[in-house]
């Protein structure tokens, strides 16, 4: 008679992803908020000092508190769901592949699935992340004294621009945020998953620990952060602009006024922030997921 596998604390993998993602998002955003503020001020079109310098580095933290948990939870539940769906969908057709193509497909199937799942996860998360970022960055750049004041300022425009205009203002920079986040996650998550798989193959364990996951997340995050800094600069400028601007004209204006080097403003703090953030985010996610998966 076969032994019955002990029940996990939370049976549903989707519920585990949701809870672990919420914990990870809140943990990383609060712990690294000052670095994010400094990065935003370095990328502002005004000078670093005029944007606040090193003063009040927790300005706008209220919006981060509100948006972190649901944004990260949405990302991970979408990411894990899509991974499982893609894996289930391709398994019946794997035997149809043959010869060299079969070997090539086996090498790339999981990274491609991770890229697709991470991209869809980011699109879902941006439904929460973009308005949070708009409010947060305006407070960080000292355009308003707090997140609440920044939000009230946007909402107060409804008599002039209508509710549709308010909605558009809250989602200012949506396109460039998606343009930044999708390439970022397409780099970070296949790297993270690949390093985890490599570790599992070398240790013979079914999962990795939080410290290992955090270390892999840090490396993957640093690589992705450096390569996507120009998109991050463009996103920040769009969100901080007094008037709404289209992406291409803004890109041309920055290039004309400040040269190509402007697109790498804040690259040091960004790599530092996301490298540390990758360690905390993916380490705390793995810790929470493993804890929820463990037996009662």
């Amino acid at each position: 008679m076969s032994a019955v596998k002990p029940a996990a604390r939370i049976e549903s993998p989707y519920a585990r992803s949701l809870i672990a993602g919420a914990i990870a998002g809140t943990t990383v955003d609060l712990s690294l908020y000052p670095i994010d503020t400094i990065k935003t001020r370095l990328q502002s079109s005004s000078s670093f000092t005029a944007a606040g310098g090193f003063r009040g580095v927790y300005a706008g933290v209220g919006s981060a508190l509100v948006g972190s948990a649901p944004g990260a939870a949405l990302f991970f539940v979408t990411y894990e769901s899509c991974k499982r769906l893609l894996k289930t969908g391709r398994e019946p057709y794997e035997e149809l592949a043959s010869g060299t193509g079969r070997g090539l497909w086996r090498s790339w199937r999981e990274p491609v699935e991770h890229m697709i799942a991470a991209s869809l996860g980011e699109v879902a998360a941006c439904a929460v992340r973009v308005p949070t970022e708009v409010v947060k960055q305006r407070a960080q750049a000292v355009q308003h004294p707090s997140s609440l004041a920044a939000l009230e300022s946007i909402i107060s425009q409804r008599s002039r621009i209508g509710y549709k205009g308010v909605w558009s203002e809250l989602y200012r920079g949506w396109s460039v945020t998606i343009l930044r986040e999708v390439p970022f996650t397409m780099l970070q998550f296949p790297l993270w998953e690949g390093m985890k798989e490599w570790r599992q193959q070398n240790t013979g364990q079914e999962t990795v620990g939080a410290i290992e996951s955090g270390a892999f997340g840090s490396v993957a995050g640093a690589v992705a952060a450096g390569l996507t800094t120009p998109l991050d600069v463009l996103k920040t400028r769009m969100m901080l602009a007094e008037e709404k601007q289209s992406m291409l004209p803004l890109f041309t204006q920055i290039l004309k006024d400040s040269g190509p080097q402007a697109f790498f403003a804040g690259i040091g703090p960004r790599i530092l922030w996301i490298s540390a953030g990758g360690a905390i985010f993916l380490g705390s996610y793995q810790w929470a997921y493993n804890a929820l998966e463990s037996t009662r």
Side-chain angles (χ1 to χ4, degrees), residues 166-204:
V166 169
W167 186 265
S168 178
E169 192 69 13
L170 282 169
Y171 279 89
R172 183 193 287 195
W174 164 272
S175 57
V176 75
T177 302
I178 295 291
L179 192 62
R180 180 197 69 174
E181 295 295 346
V182 167
F184 177 85
T185 52
M186 287 179 71
L187 290 166
Q188 184 188 32
F189 275 80
L191 281 172
W192 177 61
E193 295 278 12
M195 286 186 280
K196 287 203 303 175
E197 185 179 351
W198 168 81
R199 180 63 176 166
Q200 287 171 279
Q201 289 174 350
N202 279 270
T203 61

Side-chain angles (χ1 to χ4, degrees), residues 15-215:
R16 289 197 295 266
S17 298
L18 192 74
I19 297 168
I23 292 170
T26 304
T27 302
V28 69
D29 280 357
L30 288 181
S31 58
L32 297 178
Y33 195 83
I35 300 175
D36 182 40
T37 299
I38 290 167
K39 184 269 300 180
T40 296
R41 291 172 180 178
L42 283 167
Q43 293 179 347
S44 172
S45 56
S46 59
S47 68
F48 175 67
T49 305
F54 291 101
R55 303 185 310 275
V57 291
Y58 275 95
V61 73
S63 59
L65 277 170
V66 172
S68 296
L74 263 176
F75 171 81
F76 274 111
V77 77
T78 305
Y79 175 67
E80 295 292 351
S81 300
C82 290
K83 272 203 315 180
R84 286 183 176 84
L85 184 64
L86 290 167
K87 183 179 180 181
T88 303
R90 57 116 160 133
E91 283 177 342
Y93 301 99
E94 284 191 321
E95 294 303 320
L96 297 177
S98 59
T100 306
R102 183 177 183 179
L104 185 64
W105 168 240
R106 282 182 172 174
S107 300
W108 281 95
R109 65 189 178 191
E110 287 190 353
V112 169
E113 288 169 2
H114 296 154
M115 287 179 185
I116 295 169
S119 300
L120 293 173
E122 278 300 339
V123 172
C126 280
V128 174
R129 184 177 298 148
V130 171
T132 300
E133 284 276 300
V134 169
V135 171
K136 180 192 75 174
Q137 291 195 330
R138 291 183 186 186
Q140 286 178 324
V142 201
Q143 293 182 358
H144 301 279
S146 67
S147 293
L148 183 60
L151 180 60
E152 287 174 343
S153 174
I154 293 170
I155 294 172
S156 68
Q157 299 178 57
R158 66 184 181 278
S159 58
R160 181 169 58 87
I161 60 177
Y163 287 103
K164 185 178 179 181
V166 169
W167 186 265
S168 178
E169 192 69 13
L170 282 169
Y171 279 89
R172 183 193 287 195
W174 164 272
S175 57
V176 75
T177 302
I178 295 291
L179 192 62
R180 180 197 69 174
E181 295 295 346
V182 167
F184 177 85
T185 52
M186 287 179 71
L187 290 166
Q188 184 188 32
F189 275 80
L191 281 172
W192 177 61
E193 295 278 12
M195 286 186 280
K196 287 203 303 175
E197 185 179 351
W198 168 81
R199 180 63 176 166
Q200 287 171 279
Q201 289 174 350
N202 279 270
T203 61
Q205 297 176 347
E206 290 186 4
T207 187
V208 299
I211 293 175
E212 294 167 320
S213 177

Side-chain angles (χ1 to χ4, degrees), residues 274-290:
I274 292 181
S275 176
I280 296 169
F281 185 54
L282 295 173
S284 58
Y285 174 79
Q286 196 72 55
W287 170 82
Y289 193 92
N290 290 351

